Amino acid sequence: MLFSLFVICAGKAIESRLESKNPTRLMVEVDIQIPSAFDPFAEAKESGGAGTKEYVHIRIQQRNGKKSLTTVQGLRKEFSYEKILKDLKKEFCCNGNVVQDKELGKVIQLQGDQRKNVSQFLISAGLVKKDQIKIHGF
């Protein structure tokens, strides 16, 4: 779309014309384009910016009695889940395994309530940032 803008000049050089009640009018054409469909998140989606960050979900599942299971999902696919699991098991003295899920992908399972420990481990190892972790459960 093209809009026209009318400007009345009131500069010192044309003061005499304004005093004679005959103002000088200049027509200036300004080329302004108004987008019909604007997506404010289009740039973030393309660049993989902060708006599209993937969360790492740390959940607890109650088993029978006092037994519980901690699950970690959402880690990047390029990480070696088996090596991360090995370090987690060694660090927290618990058992665990990697489960392949159809919808969620690979999920790390650990025995016991290890939510805080796992989140601190992932941050200190530099695998994820603190604002990318979501801790679920009671």
Side-chain angles (χ1 to χ4, degrees):
M1 292 185 175
L2 197 63
F3 292 100
S4 297
L5 179 66
F6 292 98
V7 179
I8 297 177
C9 295
K12 292 182 180 178
I14 55 171
E15 248 177 55
S16 59
R17 292 185 190 165
L18 289 175
E19 290 173 1
S20 65
K21 297 182 183 177
N22 190 8
T24 306
R25 291 187 180 207
L26 299 174
M27 188 170 123
V28 179
E29 291 187 12
V30 179
D31 186 21
I32 300 175
Q33 295 179 357
I34 299 176
S36 58
F38 177 69
D39 185 13
F41 301 108
E43 185 178 309
K45 289 176 186 172
E46 292 171 1
S47 66
T52 60
K53 67 179 163 190
E54 302 270 335
Y55 288 107
V56 174
H57 297 277
I58 302 173
R59 294 185 171 90
I60 187 166
Q61 295 177 353
Q62 193 68 35
R63 287 179 48 217
N64 42 352
K66 296 193 305 186
K67 308 286 183 184
S68 60
L69 191 69
T70 302
T71 60
V72 181
Q73 75 178 59
L75 290 172
R76 290 195 215 140
K77 292 178 180 161
E78 58 260 14
F79 291 146
S80 173
Y81 283 71
E82 287 74 23
K83 288 183 180 180
I84 294 173
L85 176 65
K86 183 179 177 182
D87 290 341
L88 287 171
K89 288 167 51 173
K90 202 177 274 190
E91 181 80 19
F92 308 133
C93 300
C94 66
N95 200 3
N97 63 352
V98 178
V99 178
Q100 180 65 37
D101 191 6
K102 291 179 184 176
E103 296 175 6
L104 305 175
K106 289 187 176 181
V107 178
I108 296 177
Q109 293 182 340
L110 296 170
Q111 285 184 349
D113 185 4
Q114 306 290 344
R115 291 174 295 172
K116 290 181 182 177
N117 297 335
V118 170
S119 67
Q120 290 173 356
F121 177 83
L122 294 175
I123 293 168
S124 65
L127 298 175
V128 294
K129 296 177 184 170
K130 187 176 182 178
D131 60 345
Q132 292 177 319
I133 294 179
K134 295 278 186 181
I135 298 178
H136 305 277
F138 357 105

